[in-house]
Amino acid sequence: MSKSHIALVVHGGAGTIERSKMTPEREREYRTGIENALRAGSTILRRGGAALDAVEAAVRVLEDDPHFNAGKGSVFTSAGTNEMDAAIMDGKTRSAGAVAGVEHVRNPIVLARAVMEKSKYVFLIGSGAEEFAKRNNIELVDSKYFFTQDRWDALQKVKAADNGGGSGDKKFIISDADRHGTVGAVALDGSGNLAAATSTGGTTNKLPGRVGDSPVIGAGTFADNNTCAVSCTGDGEFFIRAAVAHEVSVLIEERGFSLRDAAESALAKSQKLGGSGGLIAVDKNGSIALPFNTSGMYRGFLQEDGTFVVDIYRDH
Ligand code: ASP
């Protein structure tokens, strides 16, 4: 049977996203970012390109957009540095590439793909990953490139809150936008191949060296042509402990769950441990799911007629 159905879903992070705190202008900027990512990915899929290329292209667009916590807009560590994580997985071969703790790579997702395709490894970190980037002509930038005033201000707020302002009578209310965020994409191409990609700056004020779920295959990112492709966002420690992305796949394969039920159930497992967030997923038939247990998730998907649906809040 020839398959022609294509699917693409992207996210730009889940958390407490309050309508009352969002200006119309800012909301438009976020929506435009998600749309730009969908455009980049869907253009590839519609001309017969690979899911892997589509998810990389979509994530790259979001990494270059300062509104999202990945690449250019990455949050700061407690040391005032930026340490980025990313992963990509090919559902056809279950090949995967991941990087963590990179500080000078303009597009960590491009490096993750190079790890997958140009090395015998799956996961490279820190200076070794950057050396590998250099050898493979992947763009490195000065760390100043990652400076954004909003993220810097958020670091000061989170530090102040963590140093006592947040305990007892809470002096500072820190929004999730100040704390974290992540970007991701999942796709099904016309040949029936699935792929997933995730990229993040992690969490604001994180200890240098901390790695979240995003680059951990099976936690924040997973793809298998037999089941589904998944990209997560949320409290990384809990997503790792619940192996959320792989859990979605297992529930489909071993328990016969629908994509939607599998996605919701996997997310509930990390919530039970104490973590909130969301995920995007697509299965081998092109069904999609975008569950989240926070008040919002920047998200969007391609519809069959070629148009995009973009949403932020729980209620539309
Ligand atoms: N999951 C990411 C991390 O823990 C953060 C997020 O998605 O908000 O690094």
Side-chain angles (χ1 to χ4, degrees):
M1 189 181 81
S2 78
K3 294 187 186 169
S4 56
H5 192 54
I6 57 169
L8 177 68
V9 190
V10 305
H11 73 77
T16 312
I17 307 171
E18 287 165 35
R19 223 183 260 277
S20 58
K21 297 226 173 84
M22 185 82 86
T23 63
E25 195 193 346
R26 211 159 162 77
E27 180 168 332
R28 192 166 35 76
E29 289 166 359
Y30 278 111
R31 285 179 177 276
T32 302
I34 296 290
E35 265 167 34
N36 289 342
L38 286 169
R39 194 167 305 110
S42 62
T43 303
I44 291 170
L45 293 173
R46 277 195 299 192
R47 42 163 213 255
L52 204 55
D53 292 330
V55 294
E56 181 190 354
V59 165
R60 250 183 109 146
V61 165
L62 294 168
E63 285 179 338
D64 288 341
D65 185 328
H67 292 89
F68 300 95
N69 174 19
K72 170 75 184 150
S74 289
V75 300
F76 287 94
T77 68
S78 58
T81 53
N82 307 98
E83 294 187 356
M84 293 159 283
D85 309 331
I88 192 162
M89 188 158 180
D90 180 359
K92 186 178 173 187
T93 57
R94 273 180 69 159
S95 311
V99 295
V102 294
E103 297 182 56
H104 304 95
V105 179
R106 176 176 165 157
N107 293 106
I109 200 63
V110 174
L111 180 56
R113 182 155 182 188
V115 171
M116 176 172 84
E117 291 179 338
K118 297 181 177 152
S119 83
K120 59 180 179 180
Y121 307 112
V122 168
F123 205 162
L124 293 180
I125 63 162
S127 55
E130 296 202 347
E131 268 309 311
F132 178 80
K134 238 181 260 169
R135 280 205 302 282
N136 286 281
N137 298 318
I138 286 168
E139 188 176 356
L140 295 175
V141 289
D142 190 277
S143 47
K144 282 196 207 80
Y145 168 79
F146 300 104
F147 182 89
T148 54
Q149 194 64 48
D150 280 359
R151 299 298 191 200
W152 186 254
D153 294 345
L155 175 65
Q156 312 317 315
K157 269 200 267 175
V158 173
K159 269 183 186 279
D162 289 355
N163 288 337
S167 62
D169 55 329
K170 251 192 168 179
K171 291 196 199 104
F172 300 93
I173 309 237
I174 302 298
S175 73
D176 281 341
D178 286 336
R179 283 211 187 268
H180 56 94
T182 282
V183 310
V186 293
L188 170 71
D189 65 28
S191 309
N193 294 315
L194 292 165
T198 313
S199 183
T200 189
T203 51
T204 301
N205 201 30
K206 69 183 178 183
L207 200 65
R210 178 264 186 191
V211 179
D213 61 311
S214 310
V216 178
I217 299 303
T221 308
F222 191 74
D224 182 343
N225 273 10
N226 290 317
T227 53
C228 60
V230 182
S231 171
C232 302
T233 170
D235 300 319
E237 283 68 16
F238 300 96
F239 278 69
I240 293 174
R241 289 166 53 200
V244 173
H246 186 250
E247 181 73 15
V248 180
S249 175
V250 167
L251 290 174
I252 293 171
E253 194 162 35
E254 314 279 336
R255 305 269 306 274
F257 277 39
S258 68
L259 179 77
R260 178 186 294 245
D261 289 350
E264 280 172 3
S265 168
L267 198 57
K269 288 191 176 160
S270 75
Q271 194 175 25
K272 210 168 160 198
L273 295 175
S276 61
L279 64 83
I280 54 171
V282 57
D283 72 10
K284 58 182 180 179
N285 305 311
S287 299
I288 62 168
L290 309 80
F292 54 97
N293 50 36
T294 49
S295 61
M297 178 166 80
Y298 300 106
R299 63 199 188 277
F301 61 89
L302 171 68
Q303 302 197 98
E304 240 166 281
D305 65 0
T307 59
F308 306 140
V309 172
V310 175
D311 270 317
I312 299 176
Y313 313 101
R314 179 164 296 283
D315 52 327
H316 300 276

